[in-house]
Amino acid sequence: MILSRYERLLARRYLFPQKGEGYIFLAAGFSVGAVALGVAALIIVMSVMNGFRGELFDKIVGLNGHAVVQGYDGRLSGWEQIADQAKKTPGVTSAIPMIETPLMATANGRFEGVLVRGMRMEDIRGNKTIQGNVVAGNMRSVTPGSGKVALGSRLADTLGAFPGSQITLWNPEGRSTVVGTVPREVTYTVGAVFEVGVYDYDKAFVLMPIQDAQELMLMGNQVGMIEIQTKDPDKVQEIVAPLQRLVQGKGIIVDWRQMNSALFQALDLERVVMFIIVCIVVLVAAFNIASSLIMLVRSKTRDIAILRTMGASRHAILRVFMVVGLAIGGAGIVIGLVLGTIALFFRQGAVNVVHYVTGANPWDPSVRILSDLPAKTDPVEVIAIVVVTLLLIFPAILFPARRAANTDPVQVLRYE
């Protein structure tokens, strides 16, 4: 929007208060604040939702892969052939055999349900989600035949276990005797404690070499599943489709969407709903801009009429008040971007302060799944937020600007 010199002068004059017009400036200030809060809220909400989804996806996929070939009854027959064929399948980056089964663990007189996972040593050490999050002990001490295991951090806290202490795992499928089946119990030493940041995993995982898991579960050389990683998780179904015929009758293939479909669908729905709700806040801010411009137009009606008699066109008056409204909205957008950036930078500190002051944890990992409040700002979404804000503000600016442009100088100055 190109303004002439006198139009720019008028726009600057109307943006700042004149004598006795402080109330108009105050109303415009409230409008700027409302837009800023709406934009900041949109940026914060969308960034947190993106961060939550991305962090959760990375943690879950880092532990469970993009797809899993699950054997019937927890045992996958012919797993070597399936794993070899999976590695040769285009788009597959790895196929990792493992054992995963729920058991009971005891330590220090405490009982807790756990999820025991057995993996090959090279796979444990190559898993960044596990290897990069060891908080105590040494994962290298967990080796086949060493009798050592690694625990999730919250499970270790619950059992009162730490590196060097002992825990006992109970397998209900034990040995048969004349009085029935006697549960198999094996005592292990805690070699390491890790924290991946997903509450459900940290409070249940017991990690051990696959040879020790096979011995504990009396499985011989069998495994329970094969974890598959792909180049593109969004195309995982197409990538693993060639394996369906080989797996038929032995097990099923489940991808990450099926394993966590309810969770990710709920997150996507919540993301859309939160965006719509916060947009309503921006819409309210647009009404504030409209009301402040209407007050400005009413206070400047005589000035507008004089300008019209001096030769100012309707379009010139329209442009002046459009610029004034856009300046108010633009200032709110810029301030909102700054506020949103600051809030995201100090987000975890704010959560900790609220927790310290009130004693209530607003980000309880047992409810929120992740241990920390994540955030990931998408530049494309920030641009979309700015565009949506301008689209909501524009009609609110247009109405009072048109009203100012349609001012009839004859009616206004008739009795002057």
Side-chain angles (χ1 to χ4, degrees):
M1 188 179 294
I2 301 176
L3 300 182
S4 64
R5 183 177 179 183
Y6 88 89
E7 289 172 356
R8 292 196 298 270
L9 178 63
L10 286 175
R12 285 197 298 269
R13 181 181 178 86
Y14 290 160
L15 272 173
F16 300 100
Q18 305 300 314
K19 187 176 180 179
E21 295 176 347
Y23 68 95
I24 297 176
F25 185 75
L26 183 63
F30 283 133
S31 300
V32 171
V35 173
L37 290 177
V39 171
L42 273 172
I43 292 174
I44 294 169
V45 167
M46 299 307 294
S47 297
V48 170
M49 294 297 295
N50 287 340
F52 185 86
R53 189 183 189 281
E55 189 77 8
L56 190 62
F57 177 81
D58 291 341
K59 301 290 188 183
I60 290 176
V61 168
L63 288 175
N64 297 324
H66 296 152
V68 171
V69 181
Q70 179 77 53
Y72 294 130
D73 298 326
R75 296 171 186 264
L76 183 62
S77 58
W79 67 269
E80 295 94 341
Q81 181 185 2
I82 297 173
D84 290 340
Q85 187 61 38
K87 292 177 183 178
K88 297 176 183 177
T89 302
V92 174
T93 58
S94 67
I96 301 172
M98 63 176 60
I99 296 171
E100 186 172 283
T101 185
L103 296 179
M104 181 66 69
T106 62
N108 301 313
R110 306 174 187 178
F111 291 78
E112 191 71 23
V114 299
L115 189 64
V116 175
R117 171 175 287 192
M119 299 175 64
R120 296 179 303 187
M121 291 310 303
E122 60 268 28
D123 297 327
I124 293 177
R125 290 169 182 166
N127 191 307
K128 296 180 181 179
T129 303
I130 297 173
Q131 198 67 30
N133 292 284
V134 177
V135 296
N138 190 343
M139 192 66 75
R140 292 186 176 276
S141 67
V142 182
T143 56
S146 65
K148 291 187 176 182
V149 296
L151 304 183
S153 59
R154 296 187 181 276
L155 175 62
D157 292 340
T158 302
L159 294 176
F162 51 88
S165 63
Q166 293 186 328
I167 68 166
T168 300
L169 297 178
W170 295 70
N171 178 11
E173 297 181 3
R175 64 183 186 277
S176 298
T177 66
V178 293
V179 296
T181 301
V182 177
R184 177 178 173 79
E185 56 178 287
V186 181
T187 300
Y188 296 92
T189 301
V190 178
V193 176
F194 61 91
E195 182 175 348
V196 299
V198 179
Y199 181 83
D200 289 344
Y201 294 149
D202 288 334
K203 81 183 191 76
F205 253 39
V206 176
L207 186 65
M208 64 173 62
I210 193 168
Q211 296 91 332
D212 293 350
Q214 288 171 334
E215 182 181 351
L216 173 65
M217 301 305 300
L218 303 175
M219 294 180 65
N221 193 38
Q222 290 184 311
V223 301
M225 64 180 68
I226 296 175
E227 175 194 280
I228 296 175
Q229 296 278 1
T230 64
K231 293 181 178 179
D232 188 351
D234 292 326
K235 297 180 180 179
V236 62
Q237 289 183 336
E238 293 87 345
I239 293 174
V240 301
L243 298 175
Q244 291 286 356
R245 181 176 298 178
L246 183 62
V247 175
Q248 190 173 8
K250 301 177 182 178
I252 57 173
I253 300 178
V254 183
D255 62 46
W256 66 270
R257 289 192 186 90
Q258 295 168 320
M259 288 187 282
N260 308 279
S261 60
L263 176 59
F264 284 103
Q265 286 176 7
L267 287 176
D268 291 339
L269 177 61
E270 184 178 0
R271 186 166 171 269
V272 173
V273 171
M274 290 299 294
F275 182 83
I276 294 173
I277 291 174
V278 181
C279 278
I280 295 174
V281 176
V282 178
L283 185 60
V284 173
F287 290 148
N288 288 338
I289 294 177
S291 64
S292 63
L293 281 182
I294 289 172
M295 287 192 297
L296 179 63
V297 170
R298 288 184 65 85
S299 69
K300 299 296 183 181
T301 300
R302 185 172 178 276
D303 293 356
I304 296 170
I306 294 174
L307 288 170
R308 290 294 311 281
T309 60
M310 293 174 65
S313 65
R314 293 178 184 270
H315 291 295
I317 301 299
L318 178 67
R319 287 194 295 269
V320 168
F321 283 93
M322 287 292 292
V323 167
V324 171
L326 288 174
I328 294 173
I333 291 173
V334 172
I335 295 173
L337 292 173
V338 174
L339 288 177
T341 303
I342 294 173
L344 289 173
F345 184 79
F346 292 104
R347 66 187 185 280
Q348 193 59 47
V351 171
N352 295 336
V353 169
V354 172
H355 189 191
Y356 177 78
V357 173
T358 65
N361 188 0
W363 191 262
D364 185 354
S366 64
V367 178
R368 308 295 184 184
I369 304 176
L370 296 180
S371 301
D372 297 321
L373 176 63
K376 181 181 180 182
T377 303
D378 186 351
V380 176
E381 285 192 347
V382 173
I383 294 173
I385 288 170
V386 173
V387 171
V388 168
T389 303
L390 290 174
L391 290 176
L392 292 174
I393 290 174
F394 189 80
I397 298 172
L398 185 62
F399 172 72
R402 286 175 61 88
R403 185 164 182 174
N406 292 329
T407 299
D408 186 354
V410 176
Q411 294 294 329
V412 174
L413 301 176
R414 174 178 295 178
Y415 301 105
E416 292 291 332

PDB file of all heavy atoms in Angstrom, residues 384-402:
ATOM      1  N   ALA A 384       2.211 -18.976   8.832  1.00  0.00           N
ATOM      2  CA  ALA A 384       0.768 -19.210   8.732  1.00  0.00           C
ATOM      3  C   ALA A 384       0.018 -18.474   9.838  1.00  0.00           C
ATOM      4  O   ALA A 384      -1.065 -17.920   9.603  1.00  0.00           O
ATOM      5  CB  ALA A 384       0.476 -20.710   8.788  1.00  0.00           C
ATOM      6  N   ILE A 385       0.577 -18.448  11.047  1.00  0.00           N
ATOM      7  CA  ILE A 385      -0.058 -17.740  12.163  1.00  0.00           C
ATOM      8  C   ILE A 385      -0.142 -16.247  11.867  1.00  0.00           C
ATOM      9  O   ILE A 385      -1.168 -15.606  12.102  1.00  0.00           O
ATOM     10  CB  ILE A 385       0.723 -18.003  13.470  1.00  0.00           C
ATOM     11  CG1 ILE A 385       0.500 -19.448  13.936  1.00  0.00           C
ATOM     12  CG2 ILE A 385       0.298 -17.023  14.571  1.00  0.00           C
ATOM     13  CD1 ILE A 385       1.412 -19.864  15.069  1.00  0.00           C
ATOM     14  N   VAL A 386       0.948 -15.676  11.326  1.00  0.00           N
ATOM     15  CA  VAL A 386       0.957 -14.255  10.974  1.00  0.00           C
ATOM     16  C   VAL A 386      -0.087 -13.967   9.907  1.00  0.00           C
ATOM     17  O   VAL A 386      -0.846 -12.987   9.989  1.00  0.00           O
ATOM     18  CB  VAL A 386       2.357 -13.827  10.505  1.00  0.00           C
ATOM     19  CG1 VAL A 386       2.330 -12.401   9.967  1.00  0.00           C
ATOM     20  CG2 VAL A 386       3.357 -13.924  11.650  1.00  0.00           C
ATOM     21  N   VAL A 387      -0.163 -14.826   8.894  1.00  0.00           N
ATOM     22  CA  VAL A 387      -1.128 -14.630   7.803  1.00  0.00           C
ATOM     23  C   VAL A 387      -2.555 -14.732   8.324  1.00  0.00           C
ATOM     24  O   VAL A 387      -3.422 -13.904   7.987  1.00  0.00           O
ATOM     25  CB  VAL A 387      -0.876 -15.652   6.678  1.00  0.00           C
ATOM     26  CG1 VAL A 387      -1.996 -15.601   5.645  1.00  0.00           C
ATOM     27  CG2 VAL A 387       0.465 -15.397   6.013  1.00  0.00           C
ATOM     28  N   VAL A 388      -2.824 -15.757   9.146  1.00  0.00           N
ATOM     29  CA  VAL A 388      -4.174 -15.924   9.697  1.00  0.00           C
ATOM     30  C   VAL A 388      -4.552 -14.720  10.555  1.00  0.00           C
ATOM     31  O   VAL A 388      -5.693 -14.228  10.495  1.00  0.00           O
ATOM     32  CB  VAL A 388      -4.255 -17.225  10.532  1.00  0.00           C
ATOM     33  CG1 VAL A 388      -5.543 -17.270  11.347  1.00  0.00           C
ATOM     34  CG2 VAL A 388      -4.168 -18.440   9.622  1.00  0.00           C
ATOM     35  N   THR A 389      -3.613 -14.221  11.346  1.00  0.00           N
ATOM     36  CA  THR A 389      -3.884 -13.045  12.185  1.00  0.00           C
ATOM     37  C   THR A 389      -4.234 -11.837  11.323  1.00  0.00           C
ATOM     38  O   THR A 389      -5.199 -11.108  11.611  1.00  0.00           O
ATOM     39  CB  THR A 389      -2.665 -12.728  13.068  1.00  0.00           C
ATOM     40  OG1 THR A 389      -2.344 -13.869  13.859  1.00  0.00           O
ATOM     41  CG2 THR A 389      -2.950 -11.552  13.988  1.00  0.00           C
ATOM     42  N   LEU A 390      -3.483 -11.624  10.253  1.00  0.00           N
ATOM     43  CA  LEU A 390      -3.774 -10.499   9.358  1.00  0.00           C
ATOM     44  C   LEU A 390      -5.129 -10.662   8.678  1.00  0.00           C
ATOM     45  O   LEU A 390      -5.875  -9.679   8.509  1.00  0.00           O
ATOM     46  CB  LEU A 390      -2.669 -10.369   8.311  1.00  0.00           C
ATOM     47  CG  LEU A 390      -1.302  -9.877   8.825  1.00  0.00           C
ATOM     48  CD1 LEU A 390      -0.263  -9.928   7.715  1.00  0.00           C
ATOM     49  CD2 LEU A 390      -1.423  -8.456   9.374  1.00  0.00           C
ATOM     50  N   LEU A 391      -5.462 -11.891   8.304  1.00  0.00           N
ATOM     51  CA  LEU A 391      -6.762 -12.135   7.674  1.00  0.00           C
ATOM     52  C   LEU A 391      -7.911 -11.871   8.641  1.00  0.00           C
ATOM     53  O   LEU A 391      -8.989 -11.408   8.228  1.00  0.00           O
ATOM     54  CB  LEU A 391      -6.828 -13.576   7.165  1.00  0.00           C
ATOM     55  CG  LEU A 391      -5.934 -13.909   5.951  1.00  0.00           C
ATOM     56  CD1 LEU A 391      -6.028 -15.394   5.617  1.00  0.00           C
ATOM     57  CD2 LEU A 391      -6.340 -13.064   4.747  1.00  0.00           C
ATOM     58  N   LEU A 392      -7.713 -12.178   9.925  1.00  0.00           N
ATOM     59  CA  LEU A 392      -8.751 -11.916  10.912  1.00  0.00           C
ATOM     60  C   LEU A 392      -8.841 -10.429  11.237  1.00  0.00           C
ATOM     61  O   LEU A 392      -9.942  -9.920  11.530  1.00  0.00           O
ATOM     62  CB  LEU A 392      -8.458 -12.711  12.196  1.00  0.00           C
ATOM     63  CG  LEU A 392      -8.586 -14.224  12.100  1.00  0.00           C
ATOM     64  CD1 LEU A 392      -8.136 -14.890  13.396  1.00  0.00           C
ATOM     65  CD2 LEU A 392     -10.019 -14.631  11.784  1.00  0.00           C
ATOM     66  N   ILE A 393      -7.713  -9.740  11.177  1.00  0.00           N
ATOM     67  CA  ILE A 393      -7.692  -8.316  11.516  1.00  0.00           C
ATOM     68  C   ILE A 393      -8.219  -7.458  10.367  1.00  0.00           C
ATOM     69  O   ILE A 393      -8.881  -6.434  10.590  1.00  0.00           O
ATOM     70  CB  ILE A 393      -6.257  -7.885  11.896  1.00  0.00           C
ATOM     71  CG1 ILE A 393      -5.865  -8.489  13.239  1.00  0.00           C
ATOM     72  CG2 ILE A 393      -6.122  -6.363  11.945  1.00  0.00           C
ATOM     73  CD1 ILE A 393      -4.410  -8.233  13.617  1.00  0.00           C
ATOM     74  N   PHE A 394      -7.949  -7.871   9.142  1.00  0.00           N
ATOM     75  CA  PHE A 394      -8.256  -7.035   7.983  1.00  0.00           C
ATOM     76  C   PHE A 394      -9.729  -6.602   7.918  1.00  0.00           C
ATOM     77  O   PHE A 394     -10.004  -5.402   7.728  1.00  0.00           O
ATOM     78  CB  PHE A 394      -7.858  -7.759   6.701  1.00  0.00           C
ATOM     79  CG  PHE A 394      -7.935  -6.903   5.474  1.00  0.00           C
ATOM     80  CD1 PHE A 394      -6.913  -6.016   5.170  1.00  0.00           C
ATOM     81  CD2 PHE A 394      -9.037  -6.953   4.636  1.00  0.00           C
ATOM     82  CE1 PHE A 394      -6.976  -5.212   4.046  1.00  0.00           C
ATOM     83  CE2 PHE A 394      -9.116  -6.151   3.512  1.00  0.00           C
ATOM     84  CZ  PHE A 394      -8.089  -5.274   3.212  1.00  0.00           C
ATOM     85  N   PRO A 395     -10.705  -7.505   8.054  1.00  0.00           N
ATOM     86  CA  PRO A 395     -12.106  -7.042   8.006  1.00  0.00           C
ATOM     87  C   PRO A 395     -12.431  -6.056   9.127  1.00  0.00           C
ATOM     88  O   PRO A 395     -13.238  -5.129   8.930  1.00  0.00           O
ATOM     89  CB  PRO A 395     -12.915  -8.336   8.171  1.00  0.00           C
ATOM     90  CG  PRO A 395     -11.987  -9.418   7.763  1.00  0.00           C
ATOM     91  CD  PRO A 395     -10.641  -8.968   8.193  1.00  0.00           C
ATOM     92  N   ALA A 396     -11.816  -6.254  10.302  1.00  0.00           N
ATOM     93  CA  ALA A 396     -12.070  -5.344  11.419  1.00  0.00           C
ATOM     94  C   ALA A 396     -11.514  -3.953  11.130  1.00  0.00           C
ATOM     95  O   ALA A 396     -12.062  -2.953  11.611  1.00  0.00           O
ATOM     96  CB  ALA A 396     -11.441  -5.904  12.689  1.00  0.00           C
ATOM     97  N   ILE A 397     -10.447  -3.870  10.347  1.00  0.00           N
ATOM     98  CA  ILE A 397      -9.876  -2.571   9.977  1.00  0.00           C
ATOM     99  C   ILE A 397     -10.683  -1.930   8.846  1.00  0.00           C
ATOM    100  O   ILE A 397     -10.875  -0.711   8.809  1.00  0.00           O
ATOM    101  CB  ILE A 397      -8.405  -2.750   9.543  1.00  0.00           C
ATOM    102  CG1 ILE A 397      -7.564  -3.301  10.691  1.00  0.00           C
ATOM    103  CG2 ILE A 397      -7.811  -1.447   9.035  1.00  0.00           C
ATOM    104  CD1 ILE A 397      -6.154  -3.693  10.285  1.00  0.00           C
ATOM    105  N   LEU A 398     -11.145  -2.765   7.929  1.00  0.00           N
ATOM    106  CA  LEU A 398     -11.805  -2.257   6.734  1.00  0.00           C
ATOM    107  C   LEU A 398     -13.088  -1.504   7.058  1.00  0.00           C
ATOM    108  O   LEU A 398     -13.365  -0.456   6.448  1.00  0.00           O
ATOM    109  CB  LEU A 398     -12.093  -3.418   5.782  1.00  0.00           C
ATOM    110  CG  LEU A 398     -12.685  -3.045   4.423  1.00  0.00           C
ATOM    111  CD1 LEU A 398     -11.711  -2.159   3.651  1.00  0.00           C
ATOM    112  CD2 LEU A 398     -13.006  -4.311   3.618  1.00  0.00           C
ATOM    113  N   PHE A 399     -13.873  -1.986   8.019  1.00  0.00           N
ATOM    114  CA  PHE A 399     -15.161  -1.358   8.312  1.00  0.00           C
ATOM    115  C   PHE A 399     -15.010   0.095   8.780  1.00  0.00           C
ATOM    116  O   PHE A 399     -15.609   1.004   8.178  1.00  0.00           O
ATOM    117  CB  PHE A 399     -15.922  -2.183   9.351  1.00  0.00           C
ATOM    118  CG  PHE A 399     -17.167  -1.510   9.856  1.00  0.00           C
ATOM    119  CD1 PHE A 399     -18.282  -1.394   9.044  1.00  0.00           C
ATOM    120  CD2 PHE A 399     -17.209  -0.969  11.131  1.00  0.00           C
ATOM    121  CE1 PHE A 399     -19.437  -0.761   9.510  1.00  0.00           C
ATOM    122  CE2 PHE A 399     -18.343  -0.345  11.608  1.00  0.00           C
ATOM    123  CZ  PHE A 399     -19.463  -0.234  10.794  1.00  0.00           C
ATOM    124  N   PRO A 400     -14.231   0.403   9.833  1.00  0.00           N
ATOM    125  CA  PRO A 400     -14.102   1.817  10.239  1.00  0.00           C
ATOM    126  C   PRO A 400     -13.379   2.662   9.191  1.00  0.00           C
ATOM    127  O   PRO A 400     -13.659   3.862   9.064  1.00  0.00           O
ATOM    128  CB  PRO A 400     -13.303   1.738  11.547  1.00  0.00           C
ATOM    129  CG  PRO A 400     -12.640   0.419  11.536  1.00  0.00           C
ATOM    130  CD  PRO A 400     -13.514  -0.484  10.762  1.00  0.00           C
ATOM    131  N   ALA A 401     -12.440   2.057   8.430  1.00  0.00           N
ATOM    132  CA  ALA A 401     -11.735   2.820   7.392  1.00  0.00           C
ATOM    133  C   ALA A 401     -12.713   3.243   6.289  1.00  0.00           C
ATOM    134  O   ALA A 401     -12.655   4.383   5.798  1.00  0.00           O
ATOM    135  CB  ALA A 401     -10.597   1.995   6.820  1.00  0.00           C
ATOM    136  N   ARG A 402     -13.584   2.345   5.899  1.00  0.00           N
ATOM    137  CA  ARG A 402     -14.592   2.688   4.891  1.00  0.00           C
ATOM    138  C   ARG A 402     -15.557   3.746   5.410  1.00  0.00           C
ATOM    139  O   ARG A 402     -15.986   4.632   4.659  1.00  0.00           O
ATOM    140  CB  ARG A 402     -15.352   1.432   4.462  1.00  0.00           C
ATOM    141  CG  ARG A 402     -14.557   0.498   3.565  1.00  0.00           C
ATOM    142  CD  ARG A 402     -15.340  -0.772   3.289  1.00  0.00           C
ATOM    143  NE  ARG A 402     -16.598  -0.472   2.599  1.00  0.00           N
ATOM    144  CZ  ARG A 402     -16.728  -0.377   1.283  1.00  0.00           C
ATOM    145  NH1 ARG A 402     -15.664  -0.531   0.504  1.00  0.00           N
ATOM    146  NH2 ARG A 402     -17.888  -0.130   0.739  1.00  0.00           N
TER     147      ARG A 402
END
